[in-house]
Amino acid sequence: MRLRCAVLDDFQNAATELADWSPLADDVEVVPFTTHFPDEDTLAAALADFDIVVTLRERVPFPASLFARLPRLKLLIASGMRNTVIDYAAAEAHGVTVCGTASSSTPPVELTWALLLGLARGLVRENNALRSGGPWQSTVGADLHGRRLGLLGLGKIGSRVARVGIAFGMHVTAWSQNLTKEYADEVGVQLAASKEELLTESDFVSVHLALSDRTRGLLGAPELALLKPTAYLINTSRAAIVDQDALLTALHEGRIAGAGVDVFDIEPLPADHPMRTAPRLLATPHLGYVSRANYATYYGQAVEDIRAYLAGAPVRRLP
């Protein structure tokens, strides 16, 4: 009898289009799910008859309580090689092998700049006006050349965002708790003396930090109050790094010029969530990693992970 494999959150029906699952045809039945399961009860019921689950990034938590409700589950594959919402000890206790895949940092870099440029030049507002017969030119764009780009985090993604900013002729500064002057010099950016200095002096601030106990709530109301009223905030990292209520207040009160956000405290975002209607906000539904090349990697390597597991030699094991 063939094993059953569930592919979660395949919203675009991309999993079977962008990867070749045929090598598994004799051994595995692949079932994509195109809608999100909003709670553990519905998820556990949907996955009860599956031996393998492929989950997308960190959208679906796999706590000990869920593993206990899925006795048939033997293999869990998460896209990417870092996942903070899987209880690995519980997986081991229930005999579940957990594997990952590669993930490119290029798509989130590109989306960061899409949001930043879209905000700076009022693209959504101008496009909507043009298509609806509205006013011809209703905004005056913010310049990038000669302005200051402040980066919170200068890792794989932040350093690439920095190089694009330099190419635009921006003055780029960076700060994080462990960032050294030597590495900042290597990337070609200025090390900010403090988080507060970076926030106070930047025209654009972009967040590129991993979520941890140290970064959770890093930007709260006091920090957002340091931003210039003409400044823009971009967050394609993790929602919890920025206090969501404080950000909403800043947007509604016009304390900052705008924000570009790709990550939220709840995903998918409920229809009545205040982020959907906030002013001065350019928001996307967590598209940072969503690109054809990245999905081809995720699902192509998921097939490899399953084949290796079936051969008794799992690869890319997590954690």
Side-chain angles (χ1 to χ4, degrees), residues 13-21 291-297 299-300:
N13 258 321
T16 52
E17 175 194 348
L18 296 175
D20 180 11
W21 296 77
S291 76
R292 294 186 67 86
N294 225 17
Y295 270 31
T297 297
Y299 296 120

Side-chain angles (χ1 to χ4, degrees), residues 143-149 165 168-171 203:
D143 296 281
L144 272 60
H145 185 86
R147 298 300 187 267
R148 186 168 297 277
L149 171 63
F168 272 117
M170 303 183 79
H171 303 295
D203 300 293

Side-chain angles (χ1 to χ4, degrees), residues 3-6 50-55 62 67 72-78 95-100 302-310 314-315 317:
L3 302 178
R4 303 192 76 215
C5 172
F50 286 90
D51 310 274
I52 303 167
V53 171
V54 178
T55 183
F62 274 79
F67 282 111
R72 185 166 162 174
L73 181 62
K74 295 303 177 187
L75 175 63
L76 175 62
I77 299 170
V96 179
T97 299
V98 184
C99 298
V303 173
E304 294 174 4
D305 288 349
I306 296 170
R307 295 185 70 188
Y309 173 81
L310 295 179
V315 295
R317 298 191 67 164

Side-chain angles (χ1 to χ4, degrees), residues 67-86:
F67 282 111
R69 299 170 73 173
L70 300 175
R72 185 166 162 174
L73 181 62
K74 295 303 177 187
L75 175 63
L76 175 62
I77 299 170
S79 54
M81 290 301 293
R82 181 178 182 275
N83 194 301
T84 61
V85 299
I86 296 173

Side-chain angles (χ1 to χ4, degrees), residues 11 16 24 31 35 104 120 127 137 211 245 263 304 318:
F11 300 133
T16 52
L24 302 174
V31 181
T35 57
S104 172
N127 178 69
Q137 296 184 1
L211 181 61
D245 290 336
V263 287
E304 294 174 4
L318 297 177

Side-chain angles (χ1 to χ4, degrees), residues 108-124 141-145 147-151 161-162 164-166 168 170-172 202-208 230-236 257-262 280-284:
V109 172
E110 295 172 350
L111 185 72
T112 295
W113 280 102
L115 290 172
L116 194 155
L117 289 165
L119 280 170
R121 301 305 296 267
L123 294 187
V124 174
D143 296 281
L144 272 60
H145 185 86
R147 298 300 187 267
R148 186 168 297 277
L149 171 63
L151 301 176
V161 171
V164 177
I166 293 169
F168 272 117
M170 303 183 79
H171 303 295
V172 184
S202 296
D203 300 293
F204 299 86
V205 173
S206 193
V207 180
H208 302 288
T230 55
Y232 296 89
L233 175 68
I234 313 296
N235 186 9
T236 58
V261 173
D262 186 49
R280 303 176 181 86
L281 178 67
L282 177 57
T284 47

